[in-house]
């Protein structure tokens, strides 16, 4: 039986998502109720790797008072980063070249030195892969699945996704009237990396006429045909929802910036390309709206708040039970625990047999195929 817990740390990594503060608050309250002390690590693991950057402390005590009133706030009071993964940390070598080095031992040493018994790591694929590596090196770790993209395997959903979908849906609602008034094609680009969850859910909910997702290579001729067909029925406007990672049948994707050491490639710009091409193909005035980081901001929906609190408290229960190397997951109607190694490095895209996808097809939505 592992030794009883007295002190735990919590960190948030990767892109922020609505609900992070609700997780932090719930972990701190559930842990404090068990008599444990909680500590927050700033900006992923930067608080440990670069303590000099934080005059007020790279790792600081999280009391119940410190987390009062934060459950409904977007962002994370710990800060976050999607650069400088400690497993592949970019280091300048004496000869001027940059190489990736593994700095996870420094994190383990820190935990031992500060007598921290366990870590709650809140993040997406990257953070959970780091969490798994720390667990394999002997640290007690429980992961909590976060991302607006909903692209993590083994959980029905991640927290943050519902808020992003709700906001994108509201934007679609607003765009219908202006698109119709001007008889335009409106292209709405949403985040999601290589998965089409946000585009699919918000597209269907928001009444899109075409939805382009990475899982289905698109042919814009098919979308143009859909727009023309609508016109033949007197519907003079169309809304097209495009996931940032969508790709044409020839495999082309739109990038803002290529991958570099310590940072993944940055997607974006596909909305502009699709709008231009559709204008050329249909002769209709077309406009693009990029929702981008707006999808990551704002207050979490009640679904995300509750999911965040269920995840946070379940993470504390897992540690109390002596579990490690697991991620808290949503498996309706309950939360359960899945091994981190079954999640790390795996992406969950929209399956082709998804009933949500079929719903879109039955509603007459064009998927560009
Ligand atoms: O993973 C969340 C996410 O918002 C993706 O949807 C998007 O591709 C990426 O992060 C953007 O990251 P950044 O914050 O570096 O712009």
């Amino acid at each position: 039986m592992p030794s009883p817990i007295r002190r735990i740390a919590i960190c948030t990594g990767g892109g922020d998502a609505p609900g992070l503060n609700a997780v932090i608050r719930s972990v701190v309250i559930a842990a404090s109720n068990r008599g444990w002390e909680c500590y927050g690590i700033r900006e992923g693991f930067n608080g440990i790797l670069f303590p000099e950057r934080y005059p007020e402390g790279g790792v600081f005590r999280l009391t119940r008072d410190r987390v009062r009133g934060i459950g409904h706030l977007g962002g994370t009071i710990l800060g976050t980063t999607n650069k400088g993964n400690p497993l592949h940390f970019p280091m300048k070598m004496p000869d001027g070249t940059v190489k990736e080095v593994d700095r996870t031992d420094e994190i383990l040493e820190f935990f031992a030195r500060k007598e921290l018994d366990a870590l709650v790591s809140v993040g997406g694929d990257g953070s959970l892969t780091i969490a798994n590596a720390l667990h394999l090196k002997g640290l007690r770790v429980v992961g909590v699945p976060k991302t607006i993209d909903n692209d993590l395997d083994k959980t029905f959903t991640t927290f943050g996704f519902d808020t992003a979908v709700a906001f994108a849906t509201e934007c679609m609602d607003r765009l219908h009237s202006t698109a119709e008034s001007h008889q335009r094609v409106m292209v709405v680009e949403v985040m999601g990396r290589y998965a089409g969850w946000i585009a699919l859910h918000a597209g269907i909910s928001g009444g899109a006429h075409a939805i382009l997702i990475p899982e289905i290579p698109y042919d814009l001729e098919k979308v143009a045909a859909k727009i023309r067909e609508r016109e033949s029925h007197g519907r003079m406007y169309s809304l097209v929802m495009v996931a940032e990672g969508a790709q044409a049948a020839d495999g082309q994707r739109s990038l803002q910036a290529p991958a570099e050491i310590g940072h993944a490639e940055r997607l974006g710009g596909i909305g502009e390309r699709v709008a231009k091409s559709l204008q050329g193909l249909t002769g209709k005035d077309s406009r693009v709206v990029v929702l981008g980081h707006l999808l990551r901001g704002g207050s979490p929906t009640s679904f995300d708040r509750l999911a965040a609190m269920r995840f946070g408290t379940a993470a504390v229960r897992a540690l109390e039970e002596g579990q490690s190397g697991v991620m808290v997951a949503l498996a309706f109607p309950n939360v359960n625990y899945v091994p981190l190694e079954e999640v790390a490095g795996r992406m969950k895209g929209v399956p082709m047999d998804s009933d949500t996808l079929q719903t879109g097809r039955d509603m007459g939505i064009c998927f560009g195929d």
Side-chain angles (χ1 to χ4, degrees):
M1 187 67 189
S3 53
I5 302 258
R6 290 160 304 140
R7 291 147 72 92
I8 65 169
I10 177 165
C11 68
T12 55
D16 68 328
L20 279 167
N21 281 324
V23 176
I24 296 167
R25 176 172 168 270
S26 63
V27 168
V28 171
I29 291 175
S32 304
N33 285 342
R34 286 162 171 80
W36 307 352
E37 280 181 11
C38 285
Y39 290 81
I41 306 169
R42 292 194 198 273
E43 296 175 8
F45 291 102
N46 283 352
I48 294 176
L49 300 177
F50 303 101
E52 70 285 359
R53 285 188 191 167
Y54 310 96
E56 67 294 13
V59 178
F60 63 103
R61 181 81 197 277
L62 285 173
T63 59
R64 289 183 74 125
D65 264 357
R66 187 68 187 78
V67 298
R68 181 161 294 143
I70 66 168
H72 65 293
L73 301 179
T76 159
I77 60 163
L78 300 178
T80 187
T81 178
N82 52 14
K83 279 188 179 157
N85 177 339
L87 278 174
H88 306 282
F89 198 86
M91 285 279 251
K92 206 161 186 181
M93 298 290 127
D95 65 358
T97 57
V98 179
K99 281 214 175 98
E100 292 183 349
V101 295
D102 180 348
R103 296 188 65 183
T104 48
D105 281 347
E106 293 169 54
I107 296 170
L108 293 171
E109 279 156 24
F110 182 89
F111 271 73
R113 192 157 24 94
K114 297 289 181 188
E115 298 182 338
L116 289 163
D117 304 310
L119 169 71
V120 175
S121 174
V122 190
D125 178 37
S127 307
L128 297 174
T129 303
I130 300 164
N132 190 41
L134 292 170
H135 156 71
L136 293 174
K137 286 188 168 188
L139 192 68
R140 285 160 78 173
V141 184
V142 173
V144 174
K146 163 242 69 169
T147 166
I148 63 163
D149 304 337
N150 195 37
D151 60 352
L152 282 178
D153 205 6
K154 306 286 176 196
T155 182
F156 171 73
T157 190
T158 54
F159 74 84
F161 173 63
D162 185 65
T163 309
V165 168
F167 177 72
T169 303
E170 190 196 326
C171 293
M172 291 291 281
D173 292 349
R174 287 169 186 252
L175 289 169
H176 275 275
S177 55
T178 175
E180 185 163 24
S181 305
H182 288 265
Q183 306 196 347
R184 280 174 173 156
V185 173
M186 278 285 178
V187 176
V188 182
E189 178 183 317
V190 291
M191 283 185 169
R193 290 199 75 75
Y194 308 111
W197 294 105
I198 299 177
L200 180 68
H201 284 227
I204 296 178
S205 308
H209 307 107
I211 302 175
L212 307 180
I213 60 174
E215 295 84 349
I216 305 177
Y218 64 78
D219 172 357
L220 285 184
E221 272 296 352
K222 301 270 171 59
V223 181
K226 172 75 188 176
I227 293 169
R228 285 188 212 105
E229 181 216 291
R230 282 178 51 75
E231 286 200 315
S232 71
H233 291 102
R235 313 264 189 267
M236 305 308 286
Y237 79 102
S238 291
L239 295 191
V240 180
M241 176 67 95
V242 190
E244 63 177 0
Q247 49 181 331
D250 64 7
Q252 262 197 353
R253 276 209 169 102
S254 285
L255 286 190
Q256 292 286 327
E260 55 188 69
I261 290 187
H263 202 289
E265 66 184 9
R266 213 144 52 81
L267 296 165
I270 190 142
E272 190 67 48
R273 276 178 40 190
V274 166
K276 267 199 188 122
S277 303
L278 287 178
Q279 180 152 333
L281 288 169
T282 63
K284 290 189 73 68
D285 207 12
S286 302
R287 295 286 189 273
V288 61
V289 177
V290 180
L291 296 184
H293 295 82
L294 288 169
L295 295 167
R296 297 218 309 236
S299 242
T301 57
S302 55
F303 181 91
D304 277 340
R305 272 181 225 192
L306 182 59
M309 287 190 265
R310 291 171 73 192
F311 286 158
T313 55
V316 169
R317 291 195 295 277
L319 289 174
E320 186 176 42
E321 288 160 11
Q323 297 202 61
S324 178
V326 293
M327 179 188 83
V328 179
L330 199 54
F332 272 125
N334 291 317
V335 291
N336 67 356
Y337 303 105
V338 293
L340 276 171
E341 65 187 6
E342 288 183 16
V343 183
R346 293 198 199 164
M347 197 209 89
K348 180 184 71 181
V350 175
M352 286 307 100
D353 62 356
S354 143
D355 86 280
T356 310
L357 182 57
Q358 196 51 50
T359 302
R361 293 199 190 277
D362 285 335
M363 297 297 290
I365 297 171
C366 168
F367 285 88
D369 58 344

